């Protein structure tokens, strides 16, 4: 009985003080009625696409101008060892959203497809995965995603939207359900997987052959079906066949689209306008929800190829088109931060900036570099073991709560954002599954000196390529590589041809004994320790080996979202406004903008 009475008294006291506060508010007209939830900060997460850690001023770049992101770092905490869970968009973002390695949700590949290839595939983030957005929604947050999704759209029919952001805890979505690719730009060479195209091409040929056989069979009276059926099948296949053949212009229509919530608003999208639309949407989301608490995930389309940049930034940087695009990205970030400030939300908003993985070294046009710069780190996008593929910027700002201008060198993961924001919202992480992330609050606030991660595992597709050991006592940092991609020419940091480095098969080398680097003294992973050098090699490799075996015990098989069947283009799943397959509309066209 006593505790109940006490609780009731406390509740009364709380209500009285709240009433007093409200009366004072009304009298002074200075504060808004929302004061009851001030302990829950707004959460603004900004993620760039394909940005290298070496592209930002606050990470040591002295020739690219990123004043807005640098200011964010000055006013907050900057992480120097912030690691993506995967070196590619789809799996890295799946892990970010769920706080779990992508292989736990089936969003990482065993086959050659390492990311979703079409809006009209059936793979995507499964319904039974829980994003931080869903938990925050349950905690009274208004949640929004503006920008890139790349976690799938449909499962079985055109409008089931089973993988759509609105089915994963977001109240509002505006942006690309897919990702920018070169195919989105009429004048750039296509970047979509050529092997997949070839296979689909083969299937359409087989289908056409099938129709010819039916027609021939009917003509020779070998098959008894109606001419009407033959004709409709033939027309359907012919349509599919010619649309594929007339191709690959259709890729742009099918993949490069903008949606607002469940509606396709631009198909194909106008790239030149996308940046200003994303910005307008982000600023207006903040204005609409300034009474808070809100979660806004701005998933920028910058700085992925084809690097479409507006006039204002074109030719202005010292690093060509890529540099122009980075400087434009920084400006967008600045405008979003200004909106937060203008609404007086700076001190009540936790702001975060990161990139989904390392810069894309192989993105080049002849000798012109079109991908990011990973600073002193070896490797890049697509390479999970080498530091350059996964070490990304990580900045947190929350004035008055987190120290300003603080730098933390401890290992942290993008997956840590999940438990961190869930904790801030007063929620609980799911207890029925493995969560790989750890809350960053103790580290960010300065309450803890060491990261909660003693070991981190670095995956390429579903293959564990490397593991990192952060020794708790000494603070020394080791990295063991079991598999590495074969660079060509040796040491240049890129694989044969212009495509992504493979995770398995002929293009990788398995190391037995494994390669060991002392990252504390050799962050560029230039000098592997010799297995014969002494007992240290043996001890470290044995300790990490034990951790890997233990980690492997937590791996369970789940349905693969990136299997060929799930990745393939399926006409009946194609989001489309207007008649299929020609899908075209421009619902947001604003004559005032170009
Ligand atoms: C700055 O970024 C550009 C573009 O990615 C890169 O070429 C350059 O090497 C970087 N400079 C430094 C000092 O890191
Ligand atoms: C504060 O948040 C809770 C959810 O955690 C919500 O139920 C409540 O209505 C909010 N209070 C105000 C005054 O908005
Ligand atoms: C915001 O926080 C900073 C740092 O603690 C403080 O100096 C400033 O006065 C605060 N601003 C407001 C409006 O509370
Ligand atoms: C989601 O469903 C799949 C397939 O039934 C299952 O293998 C997986 O363990 C489930 N995941 C969670 C988090 O419950």
């Amino acid at each position: 009985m006593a505790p109940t009475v006490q609780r009731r008294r406390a509740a009364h006291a709380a209500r009285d003080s709240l009433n007093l506060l409200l009366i004072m508010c009304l009298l002074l007209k200075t504060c808004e009625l929302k004061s009851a939830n001030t302990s829950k900060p707004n959460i603004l997460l900004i993620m760039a696409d394909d940005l290298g850690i070496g592209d930002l001023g606050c990470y040591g770049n002295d020739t690219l101008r990123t004043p807005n992101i640098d200011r964010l770092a000055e006013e907050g905490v900057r992480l120097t060892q912030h690691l993506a869970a995967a070196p590619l968009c789809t799996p890295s973002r799946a892990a970010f959203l769920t706080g779990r390695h992508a292989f736990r949700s089936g969003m990482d590949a065993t086959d050659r497809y390492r990311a979703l290839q079409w809006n009209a595939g059936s793979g995507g983030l499964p319904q039974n995965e829980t994003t931080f957005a869903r938990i925050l929604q349950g905690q009274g947050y208004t949640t929004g995603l503006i920008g890139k999704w790349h976690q799938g759209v449909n499962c079985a029919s055109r409008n089931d939207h089973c993988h759509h952001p609105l089915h994963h805890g977001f109240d509002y979505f505006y942006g690309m359900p897919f990702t920018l690719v070169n195919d989105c730009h009429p004048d750039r060479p296509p970047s979509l997987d050529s092997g997949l195209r070839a296979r689909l091409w083969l299937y359409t040929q087989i289908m056409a052959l099938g129709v010819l056989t039916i027609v021939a069979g009917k003509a020779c009276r070998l098959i008894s079906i109606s001419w009407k059926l033959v004709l409709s099948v033939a027309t359907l296949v012919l349509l599919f066949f010619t649309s594929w053949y007339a191709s690959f212009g259709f890729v742009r229509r099918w993949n490069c689209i903008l949606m607002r919530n469940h509606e396709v608003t631009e198909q194909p999208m106008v790239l030149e306008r996308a940046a200003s639309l994303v910005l307008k949407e982000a600023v207006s989301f903040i204005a609409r929800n300034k009474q808070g608490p809100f979660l806004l995930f701005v998933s920028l389309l910058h700085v992925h190829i084809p690097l479409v940049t507006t006039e204002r930034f074109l030719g202005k940087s010292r690093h060509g088109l890529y540099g122009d695009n980075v400087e434009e990205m920084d400006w967008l970030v600045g405008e979003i931060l200004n909106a937060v400030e203008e609404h007086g939300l700076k001190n009540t908003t936790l702001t975060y900036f990161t990139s989904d993985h390392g810069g894309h070294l192989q993105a080049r046009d002849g000798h012109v570099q079109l991908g990011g710069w990973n600073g002193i780190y070896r490797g890049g996008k697509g390479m999970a073991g080498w530091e350059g593929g996964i070490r990304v910027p990580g900045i947190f700002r929350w004035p008055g709560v987190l120290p300003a201008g603080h730098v933390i060198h401890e290992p942290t993961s993008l997956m840590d954002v999940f438990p961190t924001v869930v904790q801030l919202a007063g929620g609980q992480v799911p207890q029925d599954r493995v969560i790989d992330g750890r809350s960053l609050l103790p580290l960010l606030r300065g309450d803890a000196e060491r990261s909660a991660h003693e070991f981190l595992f670095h995956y390429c597709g579903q293959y564990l390529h490397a593991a990192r050991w952060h020794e708790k006592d000494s603070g020394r940092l080791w990295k063991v590589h079991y598999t590495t991609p074969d660079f060509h020419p040796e040491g240049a940091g890129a694989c044969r041809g212009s495509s992504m480095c493979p995770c398995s098969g002929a293009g990788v080398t398995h190391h037995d004994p494994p390669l060991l680097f002392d990252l504390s003294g050799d962050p560029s992973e230039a000098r592997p320790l010799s297995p014969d050098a002494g007992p240290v090699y043996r001890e470290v490799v044995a300790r990490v080996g034990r951790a890997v075996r233990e980690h492997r015990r937590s791996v369970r098989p789940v349905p693969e979202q990136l299997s060929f069947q799930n990745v393939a283009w399926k006409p009946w799943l194609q989001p489309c406004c207007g008649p299929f397959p020609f899908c075209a509309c421009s619902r947001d066209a604003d004559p005032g903008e170009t």
Side-chain angles (χ1 to χ4, degrees), residues 100 104-105 126-130 430 432-434 556-559 561:
R100 300 149 46 78
R104 301 201 196 277
S105 53
Q127 261 308 292
N128 64 357
E129 287 297 326
T130 305
D432 61 346
R433 63 196 71 182
V434 178
R556 300 269 175 282
V558 291
Q561 301 298 325

Side-chain angles (χ1 to χ4, degrees), residues 54-55 60-64 319 322-323 371-373 375:
D55 287 329
N61 199 311
D62 50 12
T63 48
L64 262 180
H319 294 286
Y322 179 78
W373 171 252

